[in-house]
Amino acid sequence: MTIFRTIFFCASMFGLAGCATEQASNEVIEDQLSGPEFRTVETEQGVVVMLVNPLLFEFDSDELTEDSRGPIAYIARVLNTPGVVSRQVHVNGYSDSVGSEEYNLALSERRAEAVAKELVYNQVAAERVLYNSFGEANPVAPNVTDDGTDNPEGRTLNRRVEIVILNP
C-alpha cells in the first residue's frame, strides 16, 4: 500500500510523469536545455551547460547581468526536476587574459560563486552545488588575433561560467 501511495502522490505532483527514482539520461537533460540561450556538451563528467546569450558578466566584473538571471533560473528548474534533482553540480568560472593570472583566477572564482549563489537562490540545494575557478585557462576563443591585437569578441566569450551536471 505504501508503494502505491508514493507512486500516486508522485504521479499527481508531476503531471502523471511518475515518481522518477531513475536518473534522467544526459540526452534528456540536453533536450531540456536546448534552445538559443544554451549550448550543451556531453563529457565524461556529465553535461556541460554554457550560456550563449546573454552575456553573464561585463569586463572586469563578477556581478551577473540582469539578462542572465532568467536563463540561470531556467537551468535551476531543470536541475530540480525528477531524475536530475539528485545529481551534483559543478560551476566552473573562467576569465579572459587581461590582467595577471592571480587576478583572473580570483575573478573567475567570484564569477563561479555568483552563478552558484544564483542557482541556490533559485532553489537548487546548496549541498549539491560546488564551484571552481580556472582563470584564463581553457579559453573557448582567442583573446588576441593572429597579429597580436586585442580580440574583444574572443575575450567576451572567455568571460564565462560553465555549469556541469555530473553523471550519477
Side-chain angles (χ1 to χ4, degrees), residues 5-6 18 26 41 48 55-56 62-63 65-66 81 84-85 99 101 106 110 113 125-126 132 150 152 161 164:
R5 285 184 185 158
T6 302
N26 288 346
V41 177
V48 179
L55 177 68
L56 283 178
D62 61 7
E63 190 171 316
T65 62
E66 232 9 81
T81 59
V84 182
V85 72
E101 256 185 72
R110 292 192 312 271
E113 182 180 16
N132 307 295
D150 185 41
V161 171
V164 184

Side-chain angles (χ1 to χ4, degrees), residues 14 20 22-35 37-40 47-51 69-89 118-120 122-125 128-129 163-166:
F14 301 113
E22 293 181 23
Q23 295 289 324
S25 71
N26 288 346
E27 186 177 313
V28 168
I29 294 169
E30 287 184 283
D31 285 347
Q32 290 176 329
L33 293 169
S34 66
E37 292 105 350
F38 309 109
R39 188 169 71 104
T40 60
V47 177
V48 179
V49 182
M50 292 154 281
L51 277 109
R69 294 181 190 280
I72 294 171
Y74 180 80
I75 293 169
R77 284 193 299 277
V78 170
L79 292 172
N80 285 325
T81 59
V84 182
V85 72
S86 62
R87 288 194 183 200
Q88 295 294 307
V89 179
E118 190 72 13
L119 289 171
V120 171
N122 283 283
Q123 309 305 310
V124 177
R128 293 177 55 206
V129 182
I163 299 169
V164 184
I165 305 166
L166 297 179

Side-chain angles (χ1 to χ4, degrees), residues 51-114:
L51 277 109
V52 176
N53 248 337
L55 177 68
L56 283 178
F57 305 100
E58 296 295 340
F59 174 72
D60 199 33
S61 173
D62 61 7
E63 190 171 316
L64 288 168
T65 62
E66 232 9 81
D67 289 341
S68 66
R69 294 181 190 280
I72 294 171
Y74 180 80
I75 293 169
R77 284 193 299 277
V78 170
L79 292 172
N80 285 325
T81 59
V84 182
V85 72
S86 62
R87 288 194 183 200
Q88 295 294 307
V89 179
H90 285 187
V91 180
N92 299 327
Y94 299 89
S95 68
D96 60 26
S97 63
V98 174
S100 71
E101 256 185 72
E102 256 180 25
Y103 179 80
N104 286 333
L105 192 61
L107 178 60
S108 68
E109 181 175 12
R110 292 192 312 271
R111 287 176 172 169
E113 182 180 16

